Amino acid sequence: NMPRGPHLVCVELAAVRIRGIVETTSSSVSIKDNVEEEKAISLQRAIRAYGDLFSTRVSCAFSDLCPYLEVLGATSKDALVPLMEWANSMRSELHSEKYSESDGSDEASFKERKARLRGYIFAVKVSYKVVKLMGSNGDDLVDWKELAAEWKTATELSSTAKEDNENSEVQKENQPGDDLILLAVQQLLFRFPKDKAMYVVAATLAEAGIEHSPYNAYLKITAMDVYSRCNATSRAWELYQKMAIKHIQLDSCSFLILPLLADGGLYNESVLESNHVVKLHGSTAKDTGEYMARAMEQGTLSKANEFLLFQRERMNTSLSLLDSKGRIMDCAPLVHFGTKVRGAPKPIAAQHGIIGAESDLVRASNMVKETHNHYGAPSILTSPILSRTADHYRDNRDFTILSHQILHQNSVISKEQIVSESRRRGHVHGFLIRSVLCSDACKGPKKGKIQKTTDVLKERCTSLIDAGNSAEKFIQEEYTEAAIDGYPQLFEAMLVMLRVLGIVSAGMPIQPDNADSLKVREERAVELLSKGTTLLEDAKVKMDLDSNPEWTNENIRIACRLLPDCVVPLFALLEMNGNLFATFGWGKRKRYTKKGAGALADFALSVRAFILSMRGALLCLPDDLDDKNLKAKEVAQDVGPFVESGYLPDAIAKDSIKNVIRGQGITRDRVVPFLDFVVIALD
């Protein structure tokens, strides 16, 4: 029961000299510039002394030293080399092969083996941290196979079942060897970032750890990351649900799954989870008033003030709430409850959203009514949210649940990116609603002449043009750096369609010479549509989505993301303009006789070609049962040697392969039918 505090102070004192905050009686002395090597060596020795003393005694020894390893790494890379040698020597000394079964099975031996295991895990973690800080490729790391073998040995040290009459309950705690699985998976993802066989090996190891330690949330988080990399997001969603994240945890932990759902084509689930976050905030706002009243009735005014500040400063400005509202708006048109025939095209906006159909006006009107509700998804359309920067929002995400990641770390969307994406969604859905209202107020020409623009149409078109200008300014000045290649071009293509609608419906924006006629409107529309066609072709070339036939490629996730982000708004604007052109006598049948109809048809063909490239990226995922069986056999052959060598459990490996193939099939079944619907509509 040796206290850690006094020994940790020694490490802190050595680190203080390097940090440059040595305090004297008169002033603080900064030594950040030109730190002497001896001070780095002093910190290195203090770290080693602490590790030698506590690595086998407590499981948190590495967590204690991790900040000091980062200080040392930022100061001197050379000082990390002896630490690597020290960690490898300690790991070799504490390896389970170093002691025999003759040590006995009594309680003293059991404790000794647990202590050795703690030291072994500590040594591996230190070596991982050193490799990360030095930026090396990890060739001198312990092999993941050794970690898997060590984990098998460590399973003997796990908590036994407690017999309670006829029922058996396993203790709801993490098992001693769980960290070995986490470390092995991290190494696989770090050293083999694009190897699909190693992805399945990592998934198998994670599943084996979960089966042995079903209450370890870190194992589930790790498995979720692995399956998402395999484009098998449905399994990641199942694991997330088993974590039973509820209440306030939704605000702090939903970031683990929300980006994965959209990237995996699980749009129904994305809306469901986002709704849970939004409902949490709505109920919290109602409860806050009640709890404040109770506190004041009991005379604890300070507690009432705490409730108020918590609601005002942390919940009302929650980053997770903003993100969830934007995802609901994006994915609502893709909420679907299945089709009678598997693989049949799924209509977009069957229940919600705008798509250029008769139901658009009612839906747009309802969304406008909901914009005043802070806890309604349409509130992201309001001007305050569209203009707010990241500084306004409170990031309540709990990143400590990723503290187990050392060598490989999950990609987490930054606060700035979330705000930027949410503002982008607000702009897009804002001008979609305005487009619906403009289309509703527009009247076609009579006897070959345009009708006088009504005040209602003029006001709506003015609002539409202002929204387009605001969106263009946002995309050009604030969004471009955060976007992936091709995204800015796609959004500019949307703006082209928006302006075409304004020109054709009301001749706005008005020309300097006030010239306005059917011919003038048609010429202006043709010029813009030609520009839009070029933008779409540029985006298609930049993304090159169907170039990689591997099922682990990033293009699959991009294609799934593009459907709600870009394809649905583009298709909606295209349908609205198509209906408007037909009203003006430039329908599909006149594509060869009317320049406007031909230009719109060329734009539609460019959209169709872009969607086919997205579809091509998804076609490498398994389709029917025969295809799934074939791909499962291919993966089993790649993983087979590790199973035969005993590093992976055979049954769990087979289940993991099934999970990967099944999840990929679900992603394809969810996304491709929507793309087919759009392709057919554009034929």
Side-chain angles (χ1 to χ4, degrees):
N1 297 325
M2 183 182 297
R4 304 187 337 265
H7 299 274
L8 200 58
V9 167
C10 295
V11 185
E12 175 65 22
L13 290 175
V16 161
R17 301 176 67 198
I18 292 180
R19 289 198 190 104
I21 51 173
V22 178
E23 294 185 0
T24 63
T25 54
S26 58
S27 63
S28 294
V29 182
S30 176
I31 57 171
K32 289 183 180 179
D33 302 329
N34 191 23
V35 177
E36 295 90 340
E37 189 67 22
E38 63 179 41
K39 294 175 182 176
I41 294 174
S42 174
L43 176 58
Q44 176 210 110
R45 289 173 178 170
I47 290 173
R48 291 180 60 173
Y50 186 88
D52 289 335
L53 195 58
F54 289 102
S55 61
T56 58
R57 296 172 186 263
V58 293
S59 300
C60 59
F62 174 76
S63 299
D64 292 341
L65 293 178
C66 191
Y68 303 108
L69 289 170
E70 292 177 354
V71 170
L72 186 61
T75 304
S76 172
K77 302 292 184 184
D78 294 336
L80 292 172
V81 177
L83 284 180
M84 189 69 178
E85 297 172 355
W86 166 66
N88 285 335
S89 175
M90 179 187 294
R91 174 184 57 78
S92 178
E93 182 65 28
L94 295 173
H95 193 281
S96 59
E97 293 180 352
K98 291 290 184 178
Y99 57 88
S100 62
E101 295 180 0
S102 60
D103 290 341
S105 58
D106 56 6
E107 185 176 352
S109 174
F110 188 79
K111 290 182 178 180
E112 175 64 19
R113 291 178 64 187
K114 275 194 170 184
R116 284 174 173 267
L117 178 62
R118 281 194 293 268
Y120 182 90
I121 292 173
F122 170 83
V124 176
K125 287 183 176 180
V126 170
S127 65
Y128 275 27
K129 189 67 178 180
V130 170
V131 166
K132 187 70 174 179
L133 292 172
M134 294 182 68
S136 65
N137 56 12
D139 289 339
D140 50 351
L141 287 174
V142 55
D143 192 356
W144 70 267
K145 299 173 186 175
E146 180 183 316
L147 296 176
E150 192 72 18
W151 173 76
K152 282 190 174 182
T153 304
T155 56
E156 302 172 5
L157 306 177
S158 301
S159 301
T160 56
K162 288 186 174 183
E163 297 293 334
D164 182 17
N165 297 329
E166 297 180 355
N167 298 323
S168 176
E169 294 184 3
V170 179
Q171 293 183 10
K172 295 184 178 181
E173 59 184 23
N174 297 345
Q175 303 301 336
D178 290 353
D179 281 345
L180 294 170
I181 293 291
L182 297 173
L183 293 168
V185 172
Q186 285 183 55
Q187 184 182 148
L188 289 170
L189 296 178
F190 177 76
R191 298 188 63 186
F192 310 100
K194 296 185 181 297
D195 192 323
K196 62 182 180 182
M198 289 305 177
Y199 279 171
V200 179
V201 170
T204 303
L205 288 173
E207 291 283 10
I210 292 171
E211 183 177 88
H212 182 69
S213 181
Y215 299 103
N216 190 325
Y218 298 121
L219 289 171
K220 293 185 178 71
I221 293 171
T222 299
M224 286 164 55
D225 180 39
V226 174
Y227 279 115
S228 69
R229 291 172 180 274
C230 295
N231 293 303
T233 312
S234 61
R235 178 57 181 163
W237 170 244
E238 292 170 359
L239 292 168
Y240 176 81
Q241 289 179 301
K242 290 181 179 180
M243 291 173 65
I245 292 176
K246 299 177 180 178
H247 307 302
I248 198 65
Q249 292 175 334
L250 289 167
D251 195 51
S252 58
C253 300
S254 59
F255 75 95
L256 292 171
I257 194 65
L258 282 177
L260 305 185
L261 294 175
D263 290 355
L266 303 187
Y267 308 116
N268 286 19
E269 290 79 358
S270 180
V271 172
L272 177 65
E273 187 65 17
S274 298
N275 268 325
H276 288 161
V277 176
V278 173
K279 288 179 180 178
L280 162 74
H281 283 268
S283 62
T284 303
K286 294 178 181 178
D287 294 341
T288 297
E290 180 182 347
Y291 294 147
M292 286 179 60
R294 290 182 184 178
M296 287 187 285
E297 286 176 359
Q298 296 175 2
T300 53
L301 301 183
S302 60
K303 185 63 65 175
N305 189 51
E306 287 179 15
F307 285 129
L308 179 62
L309 292 177
F310 176 78
Q311 182 63 36
R312 180 184 296 167
E313 297 179 2
R314 296 187 70 94
M315 300 300 283
N316 287 350
T317 59
S318 168
L319 186 69
S320 298
L321 174 62
L322 177 71
D323 187 35
S324 297
K325 290 190 288 189
R327 292 184 184 278
I328 290 173
M329 293 298 294
D330 259 9
C331 296
L334 302 172
V335 171
H336 206 275
F337 300 104
T339 54
K340 295 181 180 179
V341 181
R342 181 182 174 276
K346 294 180 182 177
I348 295 176
Q351 278 87 27
H352 308 281
I354 292 172
I355 201 60
E358 294 181 359
S359 59
D360 284 356
L361 183 60
V362 175
R363 293 178 181 179
S365 301
N366 290 335
M367 280 190 270
V368 171
K369 294 175 184 177
E370 282 294 313
T371 54
H372 72 282
N373 180 10
H374 179 68
Y375 303 104
S379 63
I380 67 165
L381 309 178
T382 57
S383 297
I385 291 183
L386 294 179
S387 60
R388 286 171 182 162
T389 61
D391 295 336
H392 175 81
Y393 295 97
R394 185 66 176 261
D395 194 347
N396 298 327
R397 293 177 293 176
D398 182 10
F399 295 119
T400 61
I401 57 179
L402 302 177
S403 60
H404 62 285
Q405 298 176 344
I406 306 170
L407 196 61
H408 164 82
Q409 296 176 332
N410 285 18
S411 56
V412 177
I413 304 175
S414 69
K415 178 181 179 181
E416 290 73 20
Q417 285 177 311
I418 289 177
V419 174
S420 181
E421 282 296 312
S422 299
R423 292 174 65 188
R424 188 269 306 166
R425 291 171 178 137
H427 281 294
V428 170
H429 293 284
F431 62 62
L432 279 179
I433 290 176
R434 289 175 173 88
S435 298
V436 172
L437 298 176
C438 283
S439 299
D440 177 65
C442 178
K443 295 181 180 180
K446 282 187 177 181
K447 298 180 181 181
K449 294 184 179 181
I450 56 176
Q451 297 192 54
K452 182 180 178 181
T453 303
T454 63
D455 292 340
V456 173
L457 178 59
K458 187 175 181 179
E459 289 176 0
R460 293 182 180 182
C461 281
T462 300
S463 177
L464 176 65
I465 293 168
D466 290 344
N469 293 337
S470 177
E472 183 178 39
K473 182 179 178 182
F474 165 73
I475 290 169
Q476 292 178 348
E477 297 180 3
E478 302 181 52
Y479 185 74
T480 306
E481 294 182 1
I484 61 176
D485 285 345
Y487 259 53
Q489 286 79 8
L490 292 172
F491 296 139
E492 287 183 27
M494 295 181 205
L495 295 176
V496 164
M497 296 301 289
L498 176 151
R499 290 183 172 122
V500 167
L501 193 145
I503 289 171
V504 175
S505 61
M508 297 178 66
I510 299 172
Q511 297 261 67
D513 57 1
N514 292 325
D516 189 20
S517 65
L518 276 179
K519 184 179 179 181
V520 171
R521 292 187 184 185
E522 184 178 19
E523 290 174 350
R524 293 173 67 188
V526 168
E527 182 181 353
L528 279 175
L529 287 169
S530 177
K531 177 185 176 182
T533 302
T534 303
L535 288 168
L536 286 172
E537 292 172 353
D538 290 346
K540 182 177 180 294
V541 171
K542 284 191 174 185
M543 292 188 171
D544 198 18
L545 294 174
D546 52 357
S547 61
N548 189 348
E550 292 291 335
W551 50 256
T552 55
N553 74 83
E554 175 69 16
N555 287 347
I556 294 174
R557 291 185 282 279
I558 293 176
C560 292
R561 197 184 313 161
L562 278 170
L563 180 56
D565 284 0
C566 303
V567 172
V568 172
L570 267 174
F571 181 63
L573 288 167
L574 187 56
E575 287 289 288
M576 282 186 263
N577 274 289
N579 296 334
L580 185 62
F581 274 40
T583 303
F584 277 72
W586 310 330
K588 294 180 181 179
R589 296 181 179 180
K590 297 185 179 181
R591 61 170 298 189
Y592 298 110
T593 58
K594 294 289 186 179
K595 291 182 179 180
L600 187 64
D602 291 340
F603 185 90
L605 289 175
S606 296
V607 174
R608 185 178 184 276
F610 183 81
I611 293 172
L612 288 175
S613 71
M614 292 171 55
R615 192 177 186 277
L618 291 157
L619 291 182
C620 65
L621 299 179
D623 183 17
D624 54 20
L625 183 60
D626 292 338
D627 191 16
K628 291 179 180 178
N629 290 336
L630 179 61
K631 290 188 181 294
K633 288 180 181 179
E634 293 175 359
V635 177
Q637 288 178 354
D638 295 335
V639 179
F642 304 114
V643 176
E644 294 170 1
S645 303
Y647 296 113
L648 302 177
D650 185 27
I652 297 178
K654 291 179 179 177
D655 290 340
S656 299
I657 293 172
K658 288 180 181 178
N659 287 333
V660 169
I661 302 301
R662 178 178 60 87
Q664 292 174 354
I666 290 174
T667 294
R668 174 169 174 158
D669 290 343
R670 293 291 189 92
V671 182
V672 171
F674 285 125
L675 299 179
D676 289 342
F677 171 80
V678 179
V679 169
I680 292 172
L682 296 178
D683 281 341

